[in-house]
Amino acid sequence: MDEKPNVPFSKQLRIATRDIHNVSDALVNAKLAFALYDNKVWAEGLLIFYDVFKHLEQRVPHDFLPPEIHRTAQFQQDLQYYLGDGWEQRHTPRPEVRAYLQHLNEIEAENPNLLLAYVYHLYMGLLSGGQILQKRRSLGKRINPFRRAAANGEQSVQGASLTTFEDHTIYELKQRLRKVVDEFGARLDDETRQRMLDESRKVFELNNTIIRTVEGTGRANVRILGYIGAVIMALIVMQYIVRRSTEE
């Protein structure tokens, strides 16, 4: 007998995507490891996902996508901070993002419930990996010699609205999302369940495609590596000077 229905559906989704999720994590780390400290690259990373989150929040009922985790307004606040006034009028989704949105339209026409696979993986990603990236970015900004000095009264939340959840803990939001998915999954027939598991893998395929379009990561990486190289060289010179003075 197939025991999978006894496994929470959220866990089934994680198991079904474990390998491609690892590929996605590796891509993010390789693409953005140093670029996290570059505001232009960070803003571009936000921009490629803005239209996807906005689309889901416009199309998925609140029963499946609770309003407390909606992020459209927070995306807009952060993009306003990084890109300035008029950014939305200047913004045109790139072809890869338009293809992503087209796919969402197609599966919605097939079965609107399939959008829940995107809700689960994208928002859990924001509540998990997104939090880690923001913490790394905050740490990097404190030690980055190229950072812009904060203006008087400037708060650390500026430019970080997307990953800031003031009224709920991250744990609470994750539990709420898992509960929604698990309760829905328990009502699915085998065919629809498998269709959603298959679509879960598509989430990461599409995510990886748009992440690869982020530009400027090479510039940011070279910039930080240059700084690291300068620090190492300075340490070598200091060590040499100390050694010479000791010998004399």
Side-chain angles (χ1 to χ4, degrees), residues 22-64:
N22 291 338
V23 171
S24 185
D25 287 345
L27 176 62
V28 169
N29 288 330
K31 191 82 172 173
L32 302 177
F34 294 113
L36 287 173
Y37 315 131
D38 186 299
N39 282 348
K40 291 182 179 179
V41 176
W42 183 257
E44 190 171 351
L46 296 179
L47 203 57
I48 60 172
F49 281 103
Y50 165 67
D51 294 289
V52 176
F53 277 78
K54 181 180 178 181
H55 181 94
L56 291 172
E57 290 171 12
Q58 290 175 338
R59 308 298 298 177
V60 178
H62 289 178
D63 289 346
F64 286 166

Coordinates of all heavy atoms in Angstrom, one line a residue, residues 22-64:
N22 N 18.9 21.7 -4.2 CA 20.3 21.9 -3.9 C 21.0 22.6 -5.1 O 21.9 23.4 -4.9 CB 20.9 20.5 -3.7 CG 20.4 19.9 -2.4 OD1 20.0 20.6 -1.5 ND2 20.5 18.5 -2.3
V23 N 20.6 22.3 -6.3 CA 21.2 22.9 -7.5 C 20.9 24.4 -7.4 O 21.8 25.2 -7.7 CB 20.6 22.3 -8.8 CG1 21.0 23.2 -10.0 CG2 21.1 20.9 -8.9
S24 N 19.7 24.8 -7.0 CA 19.3 26.2 -7.0 C 20.1 26.9 -5.9 O 20.5 28.0 -6.1 CB 17.8 26.3 -6.6 OG 17.4 27.6 -6.7
D25 N 20.3 26.2 -4.7 CA 21.1 26.9 -3.7 C 22.5 27.1 -4.1 O 23.1 28.2 -3.8 CB 21.1 25.9 -2.4 CG 19.8 26.0 -1.7 OD1 18.9 26.9 -2.0 OD2 19.5 25.1 -0.9
A26 N 23.1 26.1 -4.8 CA 24.4 26.3 -5.3 C 24.5 27.4 -6.3 O 25.5 28.2 -6.3 CB 24.9 25.0 -6.0
L27 N 23.5 27.6 -7.2 CA 23.5 28.6 -8.2 C 23.4 30.0 -7.5 O 24.2 30.9 -7.9 CB 22.3 28.5 -9.1 CG 22.1 29.6 -10.1 CD1 23.3 29.6 -11.1 CD2 20.8 29.3 -10.9
V28 N 22.6 30.1 -6.5 CA 22.5 31.4 -5.8 C 23.8 31.7 -5.1 O 24.3 32.9 -5.2 CB 21.4 31.3 -4.7 CG1 21.4 32.6 -3.8 CG2 20.0 31.3 -5.4
N29 N 24.4 30.7 -4.5 CA 25.7 31.0 -3.8 C 26.8 31.3 -4.8 O 27.6 32.2 -4.5 CB 26.1 29.7 -3.0 CG 25.3 29.6 -1.7 OD1 24.8 30.5 -1.2 ND2 25.1 28.3 -1.3
A30 N 26.8 30.7 -5.9 CA 27.9 30.9 -6.9 C 27.6 32.3 -7.6 O 28.6 33.0 -7.9 CB 27.9 29.8 -8.0
K31 N 26.4 32.6 -7.8 CA 26.0 33.9 -8.5 C 26.1 35.1 -7.6 O 26.5 36.2 -8.0 CB 24.6 33.7 -9.1 CG 24.2 34.8 -10.1 CD 24.7 34.5 -11.4 CE 24.2 35.5 -12.5 NZ 24.8 35.3 -13.8
L32 N 25.7 34.9 -6.3 CA 25.5 36.1 -5.5 C 26.4 36.1 -4.2 O 26.2 37.0 -3.4 CB 24.1 36.2 -5.1 CG 23.0 36.3 -6.2 CD1 21.6 36.3 -5.6 CD2 23.3 37.5 -7.0
A33 N 27.3 35.2 -4.1 CA 28.1 35.1 -2.9 C 28.7 36.4 -2.4 O 28.5 36.9 -1.3 CB 29.2 34.0 -3.0
F34 N 29.4 37.1 -3.3 CA 30.0 38.3 -3.0 C 29.1 39.5 -3.4 O 29.2 40.6 -2.9 CB 31.4 38.5 -3.7 CG 32.4 37.5 -3.2 CD1 32.9 36.5 -4.1 CD2 32.9 37.6 -1.9 CE1 33.9 35.6 -3.6 CE2 33.8 36.7 -1.5 CZ 34.3 35.7 -2.3
A35 N 28.3 39.3 -4.4 CA 27.4 40.3 -5.0 C 26.4 40.8 -4.0 O 25.7 41.8 -4.2 CB 26.8 39.9 -6.3
L36 N 26.2 40.0 -2.9 CA 25.3 40.4 -1.8 C 25.6 41.8 -1.3 O 24.7 42.5 -0.8 CB 25.3 39.4 -0.7 CG 24.7 38.1 -0.9 CD1 24.9 37.1 0.3 CD2 23.2 38.2 -1.1
Y37 N 26.8 42.2 -1.5 CA 27.3 43.5 -0.9 C 27.2 44.6 -1.9 O 27.7 45.7 -1.7 CB 28.7 43.4 -0.4 CG 28.9 42.1 0.4 CD1 30.0 41.2 0.2 CD2 28.0 41.7 1.4 CE1 30.2 40.1 0.9 CE2 28.2 40.6 2.1 CZ 29.3 39.7 1.9 OH 29.4 38.6 2.6
D38 N 26.6 44.3 -3.1 CA 26.5 45.3 -4.1 C 25.0 45.7 -4.3 O 24.2 44.8 -4.7 CB 27.1 44.7 -5.4 CG 27.1 45.8 -6.6 OD1 26.0 46.3 -6.9 OD2 28.2 46.1 -7.1
N39 N 24.6 46.9 -4.0 CA 23.2 47.3 -4.0 C 22.6 47.1 -5.4 O 21.4 46.8 -5.5 CB 23.1 48.8 -3.6 CG 23.2 48.9 -2.1 OD1 23.2 47.9 -1.3 ND2 23.3 50.2 -1.6
K40 N 23.3 47.4 -6.5 CA 22.7 47.3 -7.8 C 22.4 45.8 -8.1 O 21.3 45.5 -8.7 CB 23.7 47.8 -8.8 CG 23.9 49.3 -8.8 CD 24.8 49.8 -9.9 CE 25.0 51.3 -9.8 NZ 25.9 51.8 -10.9
V41 N 23.3 44.9 -7.7 CA 23.0 43.5 -8.0 C 21.9 43.0 -7.1 O 21.0 42.3 -7.5 CB 24.3 42.7 -7.7 CG1 24.0 41.2 -7.9 CG2 25.4 43.1 -8.7
W42 N 21.9 43.4 -5.8 CA 20.8 43.1 -4.9 C 19.4 43.5 -5.5 O 18.5 42.8 -5.5 CB 21.1 43.7 -3.5 CG 20.1 43.3 -2.5 CD1 19.0 44.0 -2.0 CD2 20.0 42.0 -1.8 NE1 18.3 43.3 -1.0 CE2 18.9 42.1 -0.9 CE3 20.7 40.8 -1.8 CZ2 18.6 41.1 0.0 CZ3 20.4 39.8 -1.0 CH2 19.3 39.9 -0.1
A43 N 19.4 44.8 -5.9 CA 18.1 45.3 -6.5 C 17.7 44.5 -7.7 O 16.5 44.3 -7.9 CB 18.3 46.8 -6.8
E44 N 18.7 44.1 -8.5 CA 18.3 43.3 -9.7 C 17.7 42.0 -9.3 O 16.8 41.5 -9.9 CB 19.5 43.2 -10.6 CG 19.1 42.6 -12.0 CD 20.3 42.6 -13.0 OE1 21.3 43.2 -12.7 OE2 20.1 42.0 -14.0
G45 N 18.3 41.4 -8.2 CA 17.8 40.2 -7.7 C 16.3 40.3 -7.2 O 15.5 39.4 -7.5
L46 N 16.0 41.4 -6.6 CA 14.7 41.7 -6.2 C 13.7 41.9 -7.4 O 12.6 41.4 -7.4 CB 14.6 43.0 -5.3 CG 15.4 43.0 -4.0 CD1 15.2 44.3 -3.3 CD2 14.9 41.9 -3.1
L47 N 14.2 42.6 -8.4 CA 13.4 42.9 -9.5 C 12.9 41.7 -10.3 O 11.8 41.7 -10.8 CB 14.2 43.9 -10.4 CG 13.4 44.8 -11.3 CD1 12.4 45.6 -10.6 CD2 14.3 45.7 -12.2
I48 N 13.8 40.7 -10.4 CA 13.4 39.5 -11.2 C 12.3 38.7 -10.6 O 11.5 38.0 -11.2 CB 14.6 38.6 -11.5 CG1 15.3 38.1 -10.3 CG2 15.6 39.3 -12.4 CD1 16.3 37.0 -10.5
F49 N 12.2 38.8 -9.2 CA 11.2 38.1 -8.5 C 9.9 38.9 -8.2 O 8.9 38.4 -7.9 CB 11.7 37.5 -7.2 CG 12.5 36.2 -7.4 CD1 13.9 36.2 -7.4 CD2 11.9 35.0 -7.7 CE1 14.7 35.1 -7.6 CE2 12.6 33.8 -7.9 CZ 14.0 33.9 -7.9
Y50 N 10.0 40.2 -8.3 CA 8.9 41.1 -8.0 C 7.7 40.7 -8.8 O 6.6 40.6 -8.2 CB 9.3 42.5 -8.3 CG 8.2 43.5 -8.3 CD1 7.4 43.8 -7.2 CD2 7.8 44.2 -9.5 CE1 6.4 44.7 -7.2 CE2 6.7 45.0 -9.5 CZ 6.0 45.3 -8.4 OH 5.0 46.2 -8.4
D51 N 7.8 40.6 -10.1 CA 6.6 40.3 -10.9 C 6.0 39.0 -10.6 O 4.7 38.8 -10.7 CB 6.9 40.4 -12.4 CG 7.3 41.8 -12.8 OD1 6.5 42.7 -12.8 OD2 8.5 42.0 -13.0
V52 N 6.8 38.0 -10.2 CA 6.3 36.7 -9.9 C 5.5 36.7 -8.6 O 4.3 36.2 -8.5 CB 7.4 35.7 -9.8 CG1 6.9 34.3 -9.4 CG2 8.2 35.6 -11.1
F53 N 6.0 37.3 -7.5 CA 5.3 37.4 -6.3 C 4.0 38.2 -6.4 O 3.0 37.9 -5.9 CB 6.2 38.0 -5.2 CG 7.1 37.0 -4.5 CD1 8.3 36.6 -5.2 CD2 6.9 36.6 -3.3 CE1 9.1 35.7 -4.6 CE2 7.7 35.6 -2.6 CZ 8.9 35.2 -3.3
K54 N 4.1 39.3 -7.2 CA 3.0 40.2 -7.4 C 1.9 39.4 -8.1 O 0.7 39.5 -7.8 CB 3.4 41.4 -8.2 CG 2.3 42.4 -8.5 CD 2.8 43.5 -9.4 CE 1.7 44.5 -9.7 NZ 2.2 45.6 -10.5
H55 N 2.2 38.6 -9.1 CA 1.3 37.8 -9.9 C 0.5 36.8 -8.9 O -0.7 36.7 -9.0 CB 2.0 37.1 -11.0 CG 1.1 36.2 -11.8 ND1 0.5 36.7 -13.0 CD2 0.6 34.9 -11.7 CE1 -0.2 35.7 -13.5 NE2 -0.2 34.7 -12.7
L56 N 1.3 36.1 -8.1 CA 0.7 35.2 -7.2 C -0.3 35.8 -6.2 O -1.4 35.3 -6.0 CB 1.8 34.4 -6.5 CG 2.6 33.4 -7.3 CD1 3.8 32.9 -6.5 CD2 1.8 32.3 -7.9
E57 N 0.1 37.0 -5.7 CA -0.7 37.7 -4.7 C -2.0 38.2 -5.3 O -2.9 38.5 -4.6 CB 0.2 38.7 -4.0 CG 1.2 38.1 -3.1 CD 2.2 39.0 -2.5 OE1 2.0 40.3 -2.6 OE2 3.2 38.6 -1.9
Q58 N -1.9 38.5 -6.6 CA -3.1 38.9 -7.3 C -4.1 37.8 -7.7 O -5.3 38.0 -7.9 CB -2.7 39.7 -8.6 CG -2.1 41.1 -8.3 CD -1.6 41.8 -9.6 OE1 -1.4 41.1 -10.6 NE2 -1.4 43.1 -9.5
R59 N -3.5 36.6 -7.8 CA -4.3 35.5 -8.4 C -4.7 34.4 -7.4 O -5.7 33.7 -7.6 CB -3.5 34.8 -9.5 CG -3.0 35.7 -10.6 CD -4.1 36.4 -11.3 NE -4.9 35.5 -12.0 CZ -6.0 35.8 -12.7 NH1 -6.4 37.1 -12.8 NH2 -6.7 34.9 -13.3
V60 N -3.9 34.2 -6.3 CA -4.2 33.1 -5.4 C -5.0 33.6 -4.2 O -4.8 34.7 -3.6 CB -2.8 32.6 -4.8 CG1 -3.1 31.5 -3.8 CG2 -2.0 32.1 -6.0
P61 N -6.1 32.9 -3.9 CA -7.0 33.3 -2.8 C -6.3 33.4 -1.5 O -5.3 32.7 -1.3 CB -8.1 32.2 -2.8 CG -8.0 31.6 -4.2 CD -6.6 31.7 -4.6
H62 N -6.8 34.2 -0.6 CA -6.2 34.4 0.7 C -6.2 33.1 1.5 O -5.4 33.0 2.4 CB -6.9 35.5 1.5 CG -6.7 36.9 0.9 ND1 -7.2 38.0 1.4 CD2 -5.9 37.3 -0.1 CE1 -6.8 39.1 0.7 NE2 -6.0 38.6 -0.2
D63 N -7.1 32.2 1.3 CA -7.1 30.9 2.0 C -5.8 30.2 1.7 O -5.4 29.4 2.6 CB -8.3 30.1 1.6 CG -9.6 30.6 2.0 OD1 -9.6 31.5 2.9 OD2 -10.7 30.2 1.6
F64 N -5.3 30.3 0.5 CA -4.0 29.6 0.2 C -2.8 30.5 0.3 O -1.7 30.0 0.5 CB -4.1 29.1 -1.3 CG -5.0 27.9 -1.5 CD1 -5.4 27.6 -2.8 CD2 -5.5 27.2 -0.4 CE1 -6.2 26.5 -3.0 CE2 -6.3 26.1 -0.6 CZ -6.7 25.7 -1.9

